[in-house]
Each structure stands twice: as structure tokens, then as C-alpha cells.
Amino acid sequence: MEMRAREDVEIGRDITPAIPPISFSLHDAFLHSHCSACFSPLSGRPFPPRHHRHLSSSSSVLYCSPLCSAADSPLHFSSAESNLLDSSPPSPSSESSADLRLLRTSSAAASGDRMFGLLTNREKLLAEGDEISDRVRSGAAAMAAARGRGNGAAEEEESAICLVITNGVEVVDEKGRGIGIAVYDSAFSWINHSCSPNACYRFLLPSPDLSPSPPDSDLRIVPSGPTVILTSILHCSLRCGGGYGPRIVVRSIRRIKKGEEITVAYTDLLQPKAARSSELWSKYRFICCCKRCSSSSSSSYVDRALEEIATSQGFDNVEATGRRLTDYVDEVITDFLSDDGDPETCCRKLEHLLVSGLSGLRLHPLHHLAINAYTTLSSAYRIHASTSKSFSKTRTSAAYALFLAAAANHLLTFEPSLVACVANYWASAGECLLTLSSSSSPPPPPSRVAQQYRCSKCSFVDALKAVSYADFETVKCKLVDCIGGYTRRSWGYLSKGCDYLERFEDPMDLSWVQKWPASSNRDAKCGFVVAESMDDVWQLGAHCLAYGGFLAAVCYGGAIALE
């Protein structure tokens, strides 16, 4: 099954209305901080489920209002979700809860290997005899017990679990946290994966009465597939959640022609091909044959950069040491994120890896592990700065954030589908640079503050307020050009004292890395001119923030945040 464009669609347009879920559930960690009906954060006094004879003294779910409680409580109890959450020993799981909710409403929409017209993929997921199949069988047994079905065959429960594994989507809030899981009907779930997609999606978390669909959110896509399946689809999904739960909106990130297939990403696009393929097979049991994955090695520059490693002469154990590199970076990051993680140790280890490599191997500056390292280093230096009150650490944190954004932007020129993650990197860089400039001594001049976010060269405030996404490339080029100018005037100051970053003359010009490591003669410290004033850093931060906001508005809609 697939979905195709019903008409020509410009970049940055919603191509579906806000679609309510068939089934949904919060992750365990958010059961007592968010409403189980609308996923909104709880504030004030939460409301328990409506009185029911199975209600325990300690409510396993909470709601933000009597309306949400009244709407969701019947399904919470009738689906046996309450039995699962209140079982002893407890066996809560957002996936299992969503499975039980599906089963409560699936009888009218079940047909063969499908529920609600969605493929369960049960046979493929159980055939491998791996961790996934074990998870399905153990989860089905727990669900059957919660439903009072004893210890017999649990094929129905297995089908529901497999459907959620195959079609479920991690619900992300505005802070980027995964707070739950949801399954949507065919209007979304029939959209196939591509590693070079033309669309992305966003979530609307407040209750339906508070957030109507945007005016331009008509359904601009139509299904394409076997007639027998199309004619069997029932729209009961719109009734299952009563309109509650996190709704989803699909949006174009490229120009799409009428009849062209709509695709989104099921995995992290900043992973190399091998990692993407492994994850897609493990979870969905398919091999991606999209244009990006099918490209010859000579034309897939992004994937080559994401996995390229330089070796010492005569080195012949690249694969094994490559695994060691991955394990080493994962271990350093995991230690840093632990409760007793030390940011100073994390910075020292990751920077040593970036500069010197490991066991004869050096990472390409755009290697996916290097990108993960830049993200972690920016965060670690920021935390280290807050505890040590070190301005130089704040500066290095901002430098890594800027370098990360510039590196990702370089990849964006070759793979436009990376626009969503690049938007986040630029917004983060802008925030770090503005924080740096505001904590400097002396602070930015009052005249600049009064003219906040004004630039005589690109006039981006006026341009963005009246932006048409049809002019996407023009606006993008103007902002990038200004960012490049301010970066060249500020980079020497920002990278000062950082052994790794000082090796790059201009992070906005990474064209030379296409010939890496032959071009590594540039991998030597260069002399820099110190920023003309902290005002350049402030302007750089303002432009980065605006550029990130512009890219985010293309992907997710809404106003472009300039302040």
C-alpha cells in the first residue's frame, strides 16, 4: 500500500488534516505527569479515572480535566489496560496498553492479517526467533492474562502487538521528548518509508476542542493499492479514541508532483546506510530500496561521509576497529548521561578521539559518530561551564554547536530531506551563541539590542514575515550567506583554545572534506583574526536562530520564532 499526491503540492504545506489516533498510550515515565487522554502536561490537581469497580486505590493513569477522564476512562477499563497496569507484579508498557486498546475496538475492523486496514506483519515478526519475536510472545501472554483469557493461544494479542510494532509512532512533545506511542489509520500508516523522503510529520497534543486543524489542511493524498484492500477500509478509527490522543499532521518538505508517492522517514536519516538498513529490518522486516539506498557508491556522497574512516598505511582490520569506535563513543556518551556523569572527562575523551583517532583509525569530520560527538561536546561543555563558571567553556560549547550546524548544513546541500534535523541544530547554535554574547563583558551595545534581529545585508526580518516557501532556496541562500560572513569574522574567537576546532579554517566552507583524507593538509592549525566585536557573535547567533526557525517552519508550520 502507498499514498500519492492528489495534486501538485508546494514545499511547506500540510498535506493531511490533523489525524486522530486509532490507539495511543503514554510511556510509563509520563503516566503521572501527563494526561492519558490528550497527552497535555498535568497542572494543578489531576483527575483520576471515573469510578469503576476495578479502580485501585492508587490510580495508574491521570487526566487533566473531568472531560478527558470521562472520555477515556471507559476504554481504559473495558480494554483491560487497568488490569495490566495494576497487575502484581506490575507489567506496564505503553506498547501493551496501546495493543489492548486496539483489541477492544478491532473486531469490526479486523480482516485476515489486517486490522483497520493496517498490516500486522505477524508472520514475519515471529519467523526470525529473535528478540522481537520473544517480546511479542511474552507481551501477548501478559495481555491475555490481563483480559482473563488464561494461558492458551494468544494469536489475537500477538497480532495487535505486531500491528503496533509495525505501525506505531513515537509521540514527541515540543521539547523533543518521546512521551508515548500512537497508531494512526491508513491516511498516515499507508505512507511508506524513504531514506530521502518528501514529507515529515508533527504532533498536535492539546485536546481537539482547543486546537482545530489549520485552514489549509485538506487531505491532499490518496491511497494506491489492491482494490480489495481499499474497499475494506472502515473509518471506525475516527471513533476509537473519540477524537482524543495526540493527532498527527503530514507536511511536505519538497515540491511534490501530482501522482508522486508520499514518503516519510521511519529511522534516523543521519545514520549511514548499514545502520538504517539494520534498524528497518529489525523492526519492520523490509529492505529499503529507495533512491538514496540504491545509489551507486560514487554518487551517494552523504552516506560515504557518514561512515568514512581514514586508516593508517597497511591497516587491515577496519571492520573490527570500526565496531570498537562505535562502542567507545557509545560508552563515553552513556557515562556522561548517567547520574554521576563527568562532563570534563567526556570532553577530554571525545576530543582525543576526534584529534588522534583510535587504534589507527580516524573519523571523517562528517562521520555519524563525529556528529554525535559534536552534539555531546556542546552539551558537556555547557554543563561544565555552569559548574565551573568558566566563560571559555561557554564559548567552546557555542563553537561546537555552530560547527555541528554547519556540518549538517553541508550535508543538507546534498540531501534536502535532512531539513528537519538541520533546523534543530541551527536553532540550538543560535541559542548558544546568544547566551554567549549576553554573558560577555561588556554586553552587546544598547543600539544593537534596540535594533534586535535587523540586518542591512539580508533584511531577513521583513523577508521572513512575508515569506513564501516557494522562495525557499532564495531565502535560505541569503541567510546562509550572512551566517557565513559573521562566522568568518567570529570563528577564530569561538574556536580559540580548542585543539580540534582550531584545525578548521571556516566551518561554513566544508567543500574540501569531499576529498578527505587527501585534503587533510588543511588539518593543521591556522592563524585567525579575532572577532571584530562581540556584536558579530550576537549577530551570528540571531541569524542562526532565524535560519533554524525558518527551516522548522517549513517542516512543522507555525510562526517563525525570531525572539
Side-chain angles (χ1 to χ4, degrees):
M1 302 306 302
E2 60 190 35
M3 301 297 284
R4 294 186 175 273
R6 192 180 66 187
E7 58 193 45
D8 289 344
V9 181
E10 283 292 334
I11 185 173
R13 297 292 300 274
D14 289 349
I15 55 180
T16 70
I19 304 170
I22 297 171
S23 184
F24 57 92
S25 181
L26 285 168
H27 288 325
D28 308 336
F30 295 91
L31 285 173
H32 290 162
S33 62
H34 286 65
C35 175
S36 285
C38 69
F39 280 32
S40 296
L42 295 174
S43 59
R45 177 180 173 272
F47 294 84
R50 287 174 54 183
H51 178 71
H52 190 278
R53 64 188 180 90
H54 293 306
L55 181 61
S56 63
S57 58
S58 178
S59 297
S60 53
V61 297
L62 296 171
Y63 302 99
C64 65
S65 68
L67 183 64
C68 281
S69 178
D72 189 72
S73 294
L75 185 57
H76 170 65
F77 291 113
S78 64
S79 67
E81 177 189 28
S82 58
N83 295 340
L84 189 73
L85 294 172
D86 296 335
S87 61
S88 181
S91 55
S93 163
S94 55
E95 199 172 86
S96 297
S97 295
D99 300 334
L100 287 169
R101 287 167 172 258
L102 266 179
L103 288 173
R104 179 65 182 86
T105 51
S106 66
S107 57
S111 176
D113 62 348
R114 290 180 178 269
M115 293 180 179
F116 300 100
L118 308 182
L119 189 67
T120 65
N121 224 16
R122 177 174 173 268
E123 290 187 8
K124 286 186 176 181
L125 289 173
L126 293 179
E128 294 290 320
D130 58 5
E131 182 181 344
I132 292 281
S133 61
D134 291 342
R135 190 173 107 208
V136 171
R137 290 191 170 94
S138 61
M143 288 167 56
R147 299 175 75 199
R149 284 166 48 85
N151 298 320
E155 292 185 7
E156 190 176 25
E157 287 82 2
E158 288 176 354
S159 294
I161 292 175
C162 291
L163 183 145
V164 173
I165 290 175
T166 302
N167 299 279
V169 186
E170 178 89 354
V171 179
V172 179
D173 68 5
E174 61 183 9
K175 296 180 181 179
R177 301 176 301 177
I179 62 172
I181 191 170
V183 179
Y184 299 90
D185 71 4
S186 57
F188 176 77
S189 293
W190 282 0
I191 299 176
N192 288 325
H193 164 81
S194 172
C195 296
S196 183
N198 53 21
C200 65
Y201 52 86
R202 70 181 187 275
F203 296 98
L204 300 179
L205 299 185
S207 55
D209 56 316
L210 297 178
S211 183
S213 300
D216 72 336
S217 58
D218 296 330
L219 188 64
R220 294 188 168 92
I221 56 178
V222 292
S224 175
T227 304
V228 65
I229 296 178
L230 293 178
T231 56
S232 70
I233 299 304
L234 303 174
H235 289 288
C236 58
S237 61
L238 298 179
R239 300 194 299 269
C240 295
Y244 281 79
R247 292 170 295 154
I248 199 166
V249 178
V250 182
R251 188 172 176 88
S252 62
I253 56 174
R254 296 183 185 177
R255 291 186 177 90
I256 303 173
K257 295 181 179 179
K258 180 179 179 180
E260 183 179 344
E261 183 180 2
I262 305 299
T263 55
V264 296
Y266 293 3
T267 186
D268 180 3
L269 299 179
L270 275 175
Q271 296 182 104
K273 179 181 176 180
R276 298 195 309 270
S277 298
S278 176
E279 182 178 340
L280 292 171
W281 177 257
S282 173
K283 186 171 183 180
Y284 303 105
R285 296 295 194 264
F286 73 81
I287 298 173
C288 184
C289 298
C290 71
K291 182 178 180 181
R292 180 177 170 187
C293 288
S294 303
S295 296
S296 64
S297 59
S298 61
S299 61
S300 185
Y301 165 68
V302 171
D303 282 322
R304 284 191 292 110
L306 287 172
E307 60 187 356
E308 190 167 357
I309 296 174
T311 64
S312 303
Q313 188 173 5
F315 193 90
D316 59 358
N317 197 15
V318 176
E319 184 176 351
T321 307
R323 288 194 297 269
R324 283 186 58 203
L325 274 168
T326 301
D327 293 342
Y328 180 80
V329 173
D330 289 345
E331 180 182 349
V332 172
I333 293 176
T334 300
D335 288 346
F336 165 62
L337 295 176
S338 65
D339 292 338
D340 57 350
D342 178 21
E344 185 176 6
T345 300
C346 173
C347 293
R348 185 178 66 254
K349 288 182 176 180
L350 289 181
E351 288 185 318
H352 178 76
L353 174 68
L354 292 173
V355 172
S356 304
L358 179 70
S359 301
L361 297 185
R362 290 183 59 215
L363 297 176
H364 187 287
L366 302 178
H367 192 282
H368 72 104
L369 293 177
I371 289 175
N372 290 343
Y374 306 150
T375 306
T376 305
L377 283 164
S378 179
S379 176
Y381 267 111
R382 183 170 62 251
I383 294 172
H384 191 15
S386 66
T387 56
S388 64
K389 308 299 181 183
S390 170
F391 180 77
S392 65
K393 299 294 188 295
T394 302
R395 182 178 62 203
T396 303
S397 171
Y400 270 113
L402 177 60
F403 189 81
L404 170 64
N409 199 73
H410 174 75
L411 295 176
L412 178 66
T413 61
F414 298 89
E415 181 48 69
S417 63
L418 298 176
V419 60
C421 61
V422 173
N424 293 330
Y425 292 149
W426 279 116
S428 178
E431 291 169 358
C432 288
L433 289 162
L434 290 176
T435 298
L436 173 67
S437 65
S438 64
S439 62
S440 67
S441 180
S447 61
R448 181 56 62 194
V449 176
Q451 299 170 13
Q452 194 169 36
Y453 297 109
R454 296 287 173 181
C455 175
S456 59
K457 185 175 181 181
C458 67
S459 303
F460 68 82
V461 170
D462 296 333
L464 293 181
K465 285 181 178 178
V467 70
S468 165
Y469 294 127
D471 300 325
F472 172 76
E473 287 297 332
T474 300
V475 176
K476 174 173 169 283
C477 288
K478 285 184 177 181
L479 284 168
V480 170
D481 184 55
C482 262
I483 289 172
Y486 286 115
T487 297
R488 285 186 288 275
R489 293 162 63 177
S490 306
W491 184 244
Y493 167 73
L494 293 172
S495 63
K496 182 180 179 181
C498 180
D499 189 26
Y500 180 69
L501 294 180
E502 281 186 339
R503 296 163 185 264
F504 298 93
E505 184 176 355
D506 179 3
M508 290 301 292
D509 179 14
L510 294 176
S511 58
W512 60 270
V513 301
Q514 297 179 58
K515 300 178 180 179
W516 186 88
S519 57
S520 60
N521 62 317
R522 294 191 65 172
D523 187 18
K525 294 185 180 181
C526 304
F528 299 100
V529 177
V530 176
E532 294 182 11
S533 71
M534 184 57 71
D535 189 42
D536 289 331
V537 176
W538 192 93
Q539 274 283 14
L540 175 58
H543 278 75
C544 290
L545 193 63
Y547 183 36
F550 172 64
L551 296 180
V554 170
C555 298
Y556 306 118
I560 299 172
L562 296 177
E563 301 184 31

